[in-house]
Amino acid sequence: MVKVIASDVRKGNVLEHEDGKLYVVMSHETFRPGKGTPTTTIVMRRIIDGVKTTAVYKTTDGLEKAFVEQVKHTYLYDDGDAGLVFMNPSNYDQVHLSRDMVGDSIAYLQPEMVVDLTMYEGQALSIELPPRIVATIETTEPVVKGQTASSSYKPAMLDIGVKTMVPPHIDAGTRVVISTEDGSYVERAKD
């Protein structure tokens, strides 16, 4: 185990909590008030049973970080109740992840997509998708004449079932680059 301060904790890190159990960090937020002590709020999930916990620490509090490894895996398919199936390309081992572990990121998974799985003693703890994916606009509203292109965006539905906001010049059928972190439009795809 390695000591880190609370403000340095990031999503996907694995921490040993006060109860001696391992937790994977789901999200973190640092709050710096004008007066008083800055704090870091960490939302984490216990690895054993998936129970979520929220803890607030001073930004300088020391936390125990577990040694984990990032292993590249290829997404194969959705196996229904058994979960999502990923394969390690170096040794062909298959790993099943529950839908809860993947969370909202499940919409961005595409066959043959390479993802990073955080592994601890042979068990998958969390998943990290590529920062951007390419998707096709399925439906969007028509352009309204007189609308300025500088700050007006219109709603669009992607072929992967995610809603996003796109610039007015983007039409249905256009391939676009989407951020997997928040589902926002990045740019028109180059292909």
Side-chain angles (χ1 to χ4, degrees):
M1 298 285 172
V2 142
K3 281 266 192 197
V4 293
I5 60 172
S7 61
D8 287 345
V9 172
R10 297 291 172 251
K11 181 180 178 180
N13 287 164
V14 178
L15 304 175
E16 184 175 324
H17 202 39
E18 289 95 28
D19 60 4
K21 304 219 177 355
L22 293 178
Y23 288 77
V24 63
V25 176
M26 309 287 286
S27 66
H28 62 89
E29 183 177 8
T30 300
F31 177 67
R32 293 180 174 85
K35 280 186 175 179
T37 307
T39 59
T40 298
T41 304
I42 300 174
V43 178
M44 47 195 166
R45 180 177 42 82
R46 191 163 48 215
I47 292 168
I48 296 172
D49 52 13
V51 173
K52 286 187 180 175
T53 307
T54 302
V56 179
Y57 301 98
K58 292 180 186 172
T59 54
T60 56
D61 284 351
L63 302 173
E64 295 285 337
K65 186 174 171 186
F67 286 111
V68 295
E69 60 178 330
Q70 295 277 32
V71 182
K72 296 233 179 273
H73 280 72
T74 305
Y75 173 62
L76 296 179
Y77 58 92
D78 185 348
D79 197 15
D81 293 337
L84 306 165
V85 182
F86 296 84
M87 180 186 69
N88 184 333
S90 60
N91 60 12
Y92 304 108
D93 285 346
Q94 290 188 1
V95 177
H96 286 70
L97 291 185
S98 69
R99 294 174 164 282
D100 292 341
M101 185 180 288
V102 179
D104 295 338
S105 300
I106 199 166
Y108 302 110
L109 282 175
Q110 297 171 337
E112 303 298 315
M113 177 183 275
V114 177
V115 299
D116 283 327
L117 293 184
T118 303
M119 306 290 281
Y120 179 77
E121 295 180 355
Q123 182 183 5
L125 306 178
S126 67
I127 181 171
E128 190 175 316
L129 298 178
R132 297 174 177 178
I133 62 159
V134 176
T136 304
I137 302 287
E138 212 167 68
T139 58
T140 188
E141 295 175 1
V143 177
V144 177
K145 280 200 174 225
Q147 224 175 9
T148 59
S150 60
S151 65
S152 58
Y153 276 63
K154 61 183 182 179
M157 178 61 83
L158 301 170
D159 61 343
I160 57 175
V162 175
K163 286 184 180 177
T164 190
M165 299 296 282
V166 296
H169 66 275
I170 301 290
D171 295 324
T174 306
R175 292 179 45 80
V176 293
V177 177
I178 300 295
S179 166
T180 57
E181 195 168 309
D182 58 3
S184 63
Y185 168 85
V186 177
E187 64 185 358
R188 183 183 286 224
K190 304 278 192 266
D191 52 9

